[in-house]
Every structure is written in structure tokens, then in C-alpha cells.
Amino acid sequence: MQEVLSDPRRRSILQELAALADEEVSFETLVDRVAKQEPVDRDRLASDLHHIHLPKLADLGVITYDAQSRNITHHTCRVADVLALASEALEDRR
């Protein structure tokens, strides 16, 4: 889990999901929200989220990502718990 959460982009994804009221969000909405935090090429960001970051978070059980429909489902309390663990791990490293 620690390896998955050590990536700043995955933490950004979780922070954006935690800030949303709906537990289901479209891929495009998430890409837009993460893109506002990072000065990167939007197409590259979308590709990275689709192929790398969302599958890793799904494997961890934090989200459900349907790659065909491009919908992300998350449970706010689960995302918050994982974010708290990530923050603790980062503090321990310092």
C-alpha cells in the first residue's frame, strides 16, 4: 500500500475524489480536476491516469474504475482513511 500511495499524483487523485460530493465521477471530470493542480499536458495526464494510476488505486481497493465506461466509483470514508495513512507515512519519512 505504501508504494502505491507514495506517488504524489495518486495522492492528488484521492484528494480530488475526497472533495467531491458524489461517489461516482466521470474520468473526464477527474482529469480536469487533477490537471488544475499540475502543469502537465492534459492528454498525457489522461493516459497516465487511465493506464497507471487508476488501476493501481483500484487494485488497492480504494476505488472502482470501469475502464470501458470510464467511470470511477469511490467511497468517501475509504478515500479519507487511505489519505490519512498516506499522510502518516509521509510524516514518518521526515
Side-chain angles (χ1 to χ4, degrees):
M1 177 186 284
Q2 192 171 21
E3 179 263 322
V4 172
L5 297 175
S6 66
D7 187 279
R9 183 166 286 161
R10 285 191 281 274
R11 289 193 309 275
S12 292
I13 292 166
L14 292 174
Q15 289 168 343
E16 289 303 323
L17 290 173
L20 294 168
D22 295 330
E23 291 191 346
E24 185 169 305
V25 62
S26 74
F27 178 79
E28 295 302 321
T29 298
L30 184 61
V31 171
D32 289 342
R33 292 179 67 99
V34 174
K36 288 179 183 176
Q37 294 184 16
E38 302 180 28
V40 296
D41 177 71
R42 189 185 185 288
D43 291 336
R44 175 69 184 182
L45 174 65
S47 178
D48 288 352
L49 263 64
H50 178 71
H51 293 289
I52 300 168
H53 301 294
L54 295 176
K56 285 190 178 205
L57 290 170
D59 288 346
L60 192 60
V62 178
I63 65 166
T64 302
Y65 177 52
D66 183 333
Q68 287 192 328
S69 70
R70 292 188 150 203
N71 282 324
I72 301 120
T73 305
H74 67 96
H75 299 287
T76 306
C77 60
R78 176 75 172 131
V79 169
D81 290 345
V82 171
L83 276 172
L85 287 173
S87 294
E88 287 174 18
L90 286 174
E91 288 298 318
D92 290 346
R93 286 185 185 169
R94 293 179 190 167

